[in-house]
Amino acid sequence: MSYLVYVAVFGTVAVFYLGLRDARIFYRTGLAGYRKASYQGVIWGAAALFGLAVAMYTALEILGLGIILGALYLQGRIEREKIWDGESTWERVLGSARLR
């Protein structure tokens, strides 16, 4: 197992983290952009898991990393509303949005 597999694991965890954070923000605010992002987070999480499987169980580790990077890129392209107004970095990391 190469060090690239560890990078793939970290990327997959990042994709799932961002999807769960979007879901938490949608639950707290009810905004449509975060609903779309949380739904699509499931799709990009599945793509990241596929990329992780490619990286772990084949000799094509770079292809697996490319799939994971593509999932991260496409997850970041979703339009979301601006909800942050003076929150700390830690609150943004946790997705602590104000209830609406």
Side-chain angles (χ1 to χ4, degrees):
M1 204 159 67
S2 170
Y3 67 91
L4 292 177
V5 174
Y6 296 112
V7 174
V9 168
F10 181 75
T12 303
V13 168
V15 169
F16 276 101
Y17 162 73
L18 292 172
L20 289 173
R21 188 187 72 158
D22 287 340
R24 180 169 191 240
I25 293 171
F26 166 65
Y27 178 73
R28 292 180 64 87
T29 62
L31 296 172
Y34 284 96
R35 180 186 67 219
K36 181 179 177 183
S38 63
Y39 287 162
Q40 288 187 5
V42 174
I43 296 168
W44 305 133
L49 278 178
F50 176 70
L52 180 63
V54 168
M56 286 181 73
Y57 299 118
T58 66
L60 303 172
E61 294 169 341
I62 299 296
L63 177 64
L65 286 174
I67 294 169
I68 294 168
L69 183 63
L72 276 169
Y73 175 75
L74 291 172
Q75 189 173 23
R77 299 266 320 199
I78 302 168
E79 287 292 325
R80 298 172 182 90
E81 294 85 0
K82 303 291 183 195
I83 60 168
W84 308 116
D85 186 32
E87 284 84 358
S88 68
T89 304
W90 188 246
E91 290 173 334
R92 290 181 185 200
V93 166
L94 294 177
S96 302
R98 292 188 188 111
L99 291 173
R100 293 190 185 187

